[in-house]
Amino acid sequence: MNDLLERLRARGWRMTSQRRVVAEVLAGDHVHLTADEVHARAVARLPEIARATVYNTLGELVALGEVVELSTDGRAKRYDPNAHRPHQHLVCSGCGIIRDVHPTGDPLDVLPPAERFGFTVSKADVTYRGLCPACVRPAGAHAEEPLHRRR
């Protein structure tokens, strides 16, 4: 059983077949799917699942704090089931692939007190950007075109 399913069962969340399928689709490391990607994968497992059910279930999971909704590229929101383990994100500027990363140290320590403007800072969201190995181009290749696209 995946971690998300275990957490939802422990909460006593009513586990319908549609909810279970959405939670199963979100299982795994480095999962950052759009709602449409979740729906497509859910339909492959449960053909009768409606798009609205997927969207509503994702909204409930976010409201419960069991899934994190993120937007790293100004496009579609993505859903990260790794809600209970502190991490940051590494995003490929070429294809958009996202990986969870666990840098050492506290990102709050990087912000000097003078730059806090009196805020009591409680959280830092850091996104690292670069090119994944598949998007790194040999010398002379056109930088504006990634070698592969997000699937």
Side-chain angles (χ1 to χ4, degrees):
M1 182 181 335
N2 75 50
D3 186 48
L4 179 57
L5 277 173
E6 288 177 18
R7 293 191 320 254
L8 293 171
R9 286 202 171 108
R11 291 182 82 115
W13 198 51
R14 190 169 60 92
M15 193 62 64
T16 64
S17 59
Q18 293 88 350
R19 287 175 164 183
R20 180 185 42 73
V21 165
V22 170
E24 288 172 351
V25 164
L26 290 171
D29 293 331
H30 308 290
V31 174
H32 304 94
L33 301 173
T34 65
D36 287 339
E37 289 169 337
V38 172
H39 178 252
R41 292 179 185 195
V43 165
R45 294 172 182 230
L46 188 67
E48 66 272 14
I49 193 167
R51 184 178 308 277
T53 300
V54 170
Y55 276 80
N56 290 338
T57 302
L58 289 170
E60 288 178 43
L61 292 171
V62 170
L64 287 170
E66 295 296 341
V67 170
V68 177
E69 185 178 77
L70 58 116
S71 179
T72 61
D73 58 8
R75 293 184 280 192
K77 293 177 184 170
R78 296 187 166 273
Y79 296 88
D80 182 353
N82 193 359
H84 295 283
R85 286 181 232 119
H87 66 283
Q88 304 303 328
H89 294 103
L90 178 62
V91 180
C92 178
S93 300
C95 67
I97 194 168
I98 304 170
R99 294 287 184 238
D100 291 345
V101 293
H102 306 87
T104 57
D106 186 346
L108 294 177
D109 292 341
V110 178
L111 185 63
E115 291 292 319
R116 294 178 187 219
F117 300 99
F119 280 61
T120 301
V121 181
S122 59
K123 182 180 177 187
D125 294 318
V126 177
T127 302
Y128 300 92
R129 297 184 186 280
L131 291 175
C132 70
C135 286
V136 173
R137 286 158 193 62
H142 296 284
E144 59 276 353
E145 294 184 36
L147 295 178
H148 69 280
R149 299 266 180 222
R150 184 183 315 163
R151 293 179 208 20

